[in-house]
Amino acid sequence: DIVLTQSPDSLAASLGERATITCKSSQSILYSSNNLNYLSWHQQKPGQPPRLLIYWASTRDSGVPDRFSGSGSGTDFTLTISSLQAEDVAVYYCHQYYTTPYTFGQGTKLEIK
Amino acid sequence: QMQLQPWGAGLLKPSETLSLTCAVSSGSFSAYYWSWIRQPPGKGLEWIGEINHSGTINFNPSLKSRVTMSLDTSKSQLSLNLRSVTAADTAVYYCARGPGRLRWGQGILVTVSS
């Protein structure tokens, strides 16, 4: 199975600050034939289902604020929130859909300092 | 806007079978893969499996021997059966359209307790 390791496990940042979460894959999830990274990022607020933020590692889903961005390729990926808002408090998960069994990172809890 | 709403028994005894159905409202049901994902209380996400209208099914090997999935394209519904449940199967179960550009449905809490 592909193991996704997120860091940090928890993060506290001030409103307006930049927040960065990394996700490292145990093997490359870049499909060479289409040059796409099979990685997505999801946000989960308490009591709610997760919400897709980013897919193909860097494509923002419809309706997602542009302060959220994804980057990286191969085995190393980053989710960046450029200017933290109060409503961004949540747990964030990376997810690989390169090969089954699809797997998720352990989650990063983001709080306001 | 597409919605996915699961339903089924929320409380089971050990060794019973978990049975969930998810109704998909709007959208092209046959054009996609459909997934089940679960989340134990206070823990992370675990992919259970996926199915498409062609009958292609992929399961998580950790659950494969106990899982059955099916689609009813006439009703735009997907179903999940998990046999011989234990307390470790207590979780919120999500249905979703995907993989890839996952569209999450609402979750349903299933508790296994004697």
Side-chain angles (χ1 to χ4, degrees):
Chain A
D1 298 5
I2 293 178
V3 177
L4 298 178
T5 303
Q6 293 181 225
S7 62
D9 290 333
S10 63
L11 172 62
S14 300
L15 291 173
E17 265 192 354
R18 176 186 296 260
T20 301
I21 300 169
T22 65
C23 176
K24 187 172 184 64
S25 174
S26 60
Q27 66 184 74
S28 176
I29 52 178
L30 171 63
Y31 192 37
S32 56
S33 66
N34 58 16
N35 202 36
L36 289 172
N37 288 281
Y38 283 57
L39 183 111
S40 58
W41 289 95
H42 303 261
Q43 175 194 63
Q44 187 176 32
K45 298 181 180 180
Q48 296 184 17
R51 170 198 181 190
L52 174 68
L53 297 176
I54 304 283
Y55 59 101
W56 301 131
S58 61
T59 301
R60 202 178 301 115
D61 196 27
S62 56
V64 174
D66 60 6
R67 63 180 181 273
F68 291 92
S69 63
S71 63
S73 184
T75 60
D76 295 282
F77 301 90
T78 301
L79 174 69
T80 301
I81 308 172
S82 61
S83 178
L84 191 63
Q85 305 298 305
E87 60 265 32
D88 300 335
V89 169
V91 178
Y92 292 83
Y93 295 94
C94 57
H95 169 53
Q96 69 82 16
Y97 46 99
Y98 179 83
T99 187
T100 61
Y102 305 136
T103 51
F104 293 86
Q106 81 276 17
T108 294
K109 186 175 184 179
L110 177 60
E111 298 173 315
I112 302 296
K113 191 185 297 182
Chain B
Q1 186 167 343
M2 185 197 69
Q3 294 194 13
L4 298 96
Q5 183 65 53
W7 73 86
L11 181 60
L12 297 172
K13 289 182 167 50
S15 81
E16 292 184 332
T17 295
L18 178 157
S19 293
L20 298 176
T21 300
C22 181
V24 179
S25 64
S26 79
S28 176
F29 188 75
S30 296
Y32 298 97
Y33 273 83
W34 300 90
S35 300
W36 289 96
I37 298 162
R38 69 179 183 178
Q39 184 173 38
K43 296 188 177 180
L45 298 160
E46 179 182 30
W47 178 77
I48 298 171
E50 63 180 2
I51 183 172
N52 74 357
H53 75 284
S54 301
T56 301
I57 303 177
N58 294 301
F59 294 127
N60 193 320
S62 66
L63 300 169
K64 186 175 183 178
S65 63
R66 298 193 291 133
V67 173
T68 305
M69 294 175 64
S70 62
L71 292 182
D72 186 336
T73 53
S74 67
K75 296 181 180 178
S76 295
Q77 293 178 351
L78 58 154
S79 296
L80 171 71
N81 281 354
L82 180 65
R83 297 178 291 278
S84 304
V85 297
T86 70
D89 295 310
T90 294
V92 175
Y93 286 76
Y94 296 101
C95 48
R97 192 188 76 189
R101 196 177 178 185
L102 265 182
R103 286 285 175 262
W104 294 85
Q106 295 301 310
I108 179 171
L109 174 63
V110 178
T111 302
V112 181
S113 174
S114 55

